[in-house]
Amino acid sequence: MASIAPSRRIRRTPFTEGVEAAGVKGYTVYNHMLLPTVFESIEADYHHLKSAVQVWDVSVERQIELRGPDSARLMQMLTPRDLRGMMPGQCYYVPIVDETGGMLNDPVALKLAEDQWWISIADSDLLFWVKALAYGYRLDVLVDEPDVSPLAVQGPKAEELVGRIFGDAIQSVRFFRFGWFDFLGVSMAVARSGYSKQDGFEIYVPGTANGMPLWNALMEAGKDLDVRAGCPNLIERIEGGLLSYGNDMTRENTPHECGLGRFCSTQTAIGCVGRDALLRVAKEGPTQQIRPLVIHGDLPPCDRAWPLVAKGKRVGQVTSAAYSPDFEENVAIGMVRMTHWDEGSVLEVETPEGMREVTVHESFWI
Ligand code: THG
């Protein structure tokens, strides 16, 4: 494929300089911003991620900040997950739905204080929906995108590396919690989270100017750990069942179809704008659901939905696929109709390079 024309609409990040110096080989665009997709090769990056430590420029995980007395009310309007038990210092993975129960985004929400939240968004223009709700309901809340850029440190040696920069107290940060830590006199939220199933942290870096000093400090401190620049890895995230908004699900899907029912407590999520719609679908249960799949034979890159068929009839689609070196088979994610979603069900997928046999599974690999 030809290269992409750089322009102001495709935003650089505070770390782009470091990413380029590290020899990035490919980008995608996510929230109108550059997101690296490959450094050495997707397979080499995968092995290194699972054995060492990588620093990821995930600035594209833009923050939507809610500030003011109606922040918590607005946050609960956005999601069917019950937020009443959430404490400052916690992160929640929250499906965001519209009035029909359709998925608008699947961010991580951070509660900084009762009246201050960050929504760390996936790839959709959620800011407009949040601003419109705040305006339409005359809420006493400020909604904007602050100059905060997440930098992820992922891999089995992540705790060692992050400890060298922020101190051993980092070890007491539990999964999906965050604490405040200083780097060169700047206070940063550091969470144990990230878009991989390896251990790791996400540093929410405030101020573009603080980006490269932190990047360089991590690279310097991690030399003996074989630290490298990395990025969310297609193979590893499929193995782990981490979904990609816009690829694996869209506004056409409910959280239940996405297998995100465990993050919904629709009955008690009072104020969620999609509540009535979701209560209806939750009662019946979904008629299609996301499943892990194994595809047999060689595959091209999955750059469109590939139809899943059984006896010539369409029964779903494959939306992410890659060869897994560790499992020595093609791992994939797809949406499968209930008539064919049971463990071991055998289907066919129509790829641009021909039909391939598919086995349906019920739980992801990692
Ligand atoms: N971190 C932060 N922001 C993000 C992402 C992230 N924004 C965009 C995108 N990723 C949002 N999507 C996801 C998808 C999965 C997870 C996080 C964000 C995730 N899921 C875990 C799992 O499924 O195993 C745990 C969820 C839980 O148990 O609460 O981590 O990665 N800041």
Side-chain angles (χ1 to χ4, degrees), residues 177-256:
R177 306 274 172 147
F178 66 92
W180 293 92
F181 294 84
D182 266 27
F183 175 73
L184 301 178
V186 182
S187 181
M188 305 181 178
V190 182
R192 196 180 289 257
S193 60
Y195 198 64
S196 85
K197 285 290 198 175
Q198 312 307 308
D199 188 23
F201 295 85
E202 291 181 300
I203 307 160
Y204 291 78
V205 183
T208 298
N210 296 313
M212 282 313 297
L214 178 59
W215 174 282
N216 290 330
L218 284 161
M219 290 302 176
E220 191 61 37
K223 274 191 174 145
D224 63 311
L225 304 174
D226 191 26
V227 65
R228 294 185 201 166
C231 51
N233 184 273
L234 176 69
I235 309 166
E236 199 270 352
R237 75 109 181 142
I238 296 174
E239 289 178 355
L242 297 174
L243 305 182
S244 169
Y245 186 80
N247 286 320
D248 303 318
M249 74 276 207
T250 69
R251 208 152 45 79
E252 302 298 305
N253 304 117
T254 65
H256 304 279

Side-chain angles (χ1 to χ4, degrees), residues 234 238 247 295 299-306 318-322 332-333 352:
L234 176 69
I238 296 174
N247 286 320
I295 306 177
L299 291 182
C302 185
D303 61 356
R304 69 199 85 169
W306 294 340
V318 171
T319 50
S320 299
I333 298 176

